[in-house]
Amino acid sequence: MLTVAAVLFASCSDDDETLNSMQTSVGFETEAIAIKENASMTKLPIVIEGYRNGDVSVEITAEGTGANPAKEGEHFRITDNTLSLLAENDTTNNATLYIEFQPVDDKVINDNREVTLTIATAKGATVKTQKLVVTLRDNDAAFYEKFHGKWVITGVLNDGTELRKNITISGAIDEEDPKYNKELTVNAPQML
């Protein structure tokens, strides 16, 4: 009975992952991208092309490159280095997986940093565009963006009462945005 149970267990575990065996490719959508270090979470696409009859998964590595290498955990974070598209979720010829890439704003003026993301392994597909160079553009040298963040405003009212309030200043960070370098937003709850 134990032998039969072991055979059933082994056959069930083989069914857990059925890799794709059709002609399918995976690759980064582009070979280079620039992201400001104060940007929010950015989704970097990995495109899967071709019909699939099983699972496709990729493992991503990150290595600081260039004259000023970025370090994972210090200058950026990646939510998950292993991404999968399961066969039961496959309904189209093309699909996209996303790397969740979070730059870290260090509040220090520095040269742009660089990291190269690489598809280290691909299961159930061949690799098309294996590398993506991410340039982390420094925002701290930009005078306009130096105002962004949390501030404390102080003053004295007509009756001599001191006023001390927390405020937040924000604005566009995309240099292509028409409001960039022209408009700031102040959030001052319960100011008066």
Side-chain angles (χ1 to χ4, degrees):
M1 186 156 161
L2 287 174
T3 307
V4 171
V7 169
L8 288 174
F9 179 73
S11 64
C12 290
S13 64
D14 288 342
D15 293 337
D16 289 345
E17 183 180 31
T18 306
L19 288 178
N20 173 57
S21 62
M22 297 181 75
Q23 290 186 345
T24 304
S25 66
V26 296
F28 287 105
E29 191 173 60
T30 184
E31 293 181 346
I33 189 170
I35 302 172
K36 282 199 172 183
E37 68 181 14
N38 63 337
S40 58
M41 178 78 72
T42 302
K43 291 187 172 188
L44 304 175
I46 295 177
V47 178
I48 302 174
E49 295 177 335
Y51 286 106
R52 294 162 298 283
N53 62 2
D55 301 344
V56 173
S57 67
V58 294
E59 184 179 340
I60 308 300
T61 59
E63 180 183 356
T65 51
N68 195 14
K71 296 177 185 167
E72 189 168 1
E74 185 176 339
H75 304 123
F76 68 93
R77 293 181 190 89
I78 296 174
T79 304
D80 194 351
N81 290 64
T82 303
L83 306 170
S84 300
L85 180 68
L86 303 179
E88 61 264 18
N89 298 331
D90 180 22
T91 58
T92 62
N93 182 20
N94 296 326
T96 306
L97 297 171
Y98 293 96
I99 300 169
E100 293 182 339
F101 184 92
Q102 175 67 61
V104 176
D105 190 359
D106 59 11
K107 308 291 186 196
V108 176
I109 296 174
N110 53 262
D111 291 332
N112 293 339
R113 293 190 168 92
E114 188 177 282
V115 58
T116 299
L117 303 180
T118 303
I119 299 174
T121 61
K123 294 180 181 177
T126 58
V127 179
K128 192 173 180 181
T129 307
Q130 186 175 21
K131 295 183 183 288
L132 170 63
V133 177
V134 179
T135 301
L136 293 172
R137 293 182 49 217
D138 181 55
N139 67 306
D140 298 299
F143 180 73
Y144 167 80
E145 293 186 40
K146 293 294 280 181
F147 287 104
H148 295 199
K150 295 183 179 186
W151 296 83
V152 176
I153 189 167
T154 59
V156 179
L157 299 175
N158 288 339
D159 65 1
T161 306
E162 279 195 29
L163 177 72
R164 182 177 173 86
K165 296 291 180 180
N166 296 324
I167 66 168
T168 303
I169 299 177
S170 61
I173 62 170
D174 181 0
E175 293 173 17
E176 301 299 318
D177 190 319
K179 294 179 182 179
Y180 182 81
N181 209 21
K182 293 182 176 71
E183 187 177 308
L184 291 169
T185 301
V186 177
N187 184 0
Q190 302 174 349
M191 184 67 176
L192 300 175

